[in-house]
Amino acid sequence: MNQLARLSPDTRARFTSAEFLHLVESGAFDGMKVELIDGELARMNPPMNGHSAAQANVVFCLAQQIGPSLVRAETGLVLDDSTVIACDAALLHEPIAENRFLTPDDLRLVIEIAQTTQSRGLGLKRMLYARAGIPTYWVIDGVRRVTHVYGDPVEGEYSSVRTVRFGEALAVPGSESAITLD
């Protein structure tokens, strides 16, 4: 009697960061916003106007305080051998001249704007950044008008968590500066 062949439990195509970056460079995802999370492709929605305005505001505020050579807007991050994602803004340890994806060692702060994606910013992205050892992570929550500040990653989770309301000073990591978001 014929029996159905059993497939292994996980038959999904998985990619390494190197394979994913090769696909990106070849134009395989032109016109799409795609991330690689733990080896799997994830399509992202394009940002809406409120998201874009919040992103421009935080990048502008940081650049005024720290200088534009250390601030990046919407940039790609290679977090490990199976995860390549984009963040809304980042603050570098030092200027980087070459055109490349950033790595955790380059970063002192990563920022996500959560206009419609609070659960993703506060959940999946938080865990990915903590696991990669990103020292400080901000989730700018436009709905609640607060910034969730995560710091001190330990074993894949942030050990320091606080909330800063819009209109209050938000200390910029690695500096004596602060910004205020409205």
Side-chain angles (χ1 to χ4, degrees):
M1 189 159 151
N2 290 339
Q3 292 183 350
L4 293 174
R6 295 199 185 262
L7 300 175
S8 66
D10 187 358
T11 59
R12 296 169 287 185
R14 301 182 74 77
F15 298 92
T16 66
S17 292
E19 291 167 332
F20 176 76
L21 294 175
H22 179 71
L23 289 168
V24 168
E25 290 170 7
S26 73
F29 306 118
D30 284 355
M32 291 186 256
K33 187 171 180 182
V34 180
E35 294 180 329
L36 182 70
I37 299 174
D38 292 329
E40 295 184 13
L41 298 177
R43 277 186 106 160
M44 307 304 300
N45 293 327
M48 296 192 308
N49 183 52
H51 180 280
S52 179
Q55 181 183 27
N57 183 48
V58 73
V59 168
F60 178 75
C61 289
L62 285 171
Q64 280 189 311
Q65 291 298 316
I66 305 301
S69 67
L70 296 178
V71 180
R72 295 294 181 268
E74 193 150 355
T75 189
L77 311 174
V78 177
L79 297 184
D80 59 33
D81 289 340
S82 64
T83 302
V84 180
I85 60 177
C87 68
D88 291 318
L91 186 59
L92 306 174
H93 287 293
E94 58 189 42
I96 297 173
E98 66 263 33
N99 185 30
R100 63 175 173 83
F101 283 83
L102 301 177
T103 67
D105 291 339
D106 297 321
L107 304 164
R108 64 170 126 156
L109 168 65
V110 169
I111 302 166
E112 294 290 343
I113 310 297
Q115 297 288 355
T116 59
T117 58
Q118 289 87 352
S119 62
R120 183 174 171 79
L122 297 170
L124 175 65
K125 289 259 181 146
R126 185 196 82 238
M127 292 185 301
L128 292 172
Y129 294 139
R131 185 175 76 188
I134 306 294
T136 308
Y137 172 49
W138 294 353
V139 180
I140 298 174
D141 185 338
V143 173
R144 293 175 187 84
R145 299 188 46 77
V146 298
T147 301
H148 303 280
V149 178
Y150 296 92
D152 306 315
V154 177
E155 296 179 12
E157 186 55 85
Y158 286 104
S159 62
S160 170
V161 181
R162 63 188 178 89
T163 303
V164 177
R165 295 184 189 286
F166 283 18
E168 295 178 3
L170 188 57
V172 178
S175 76
E176 303 285 323
S177 300
I179 64 171
T180 302
L181 301 177
D182 294 318

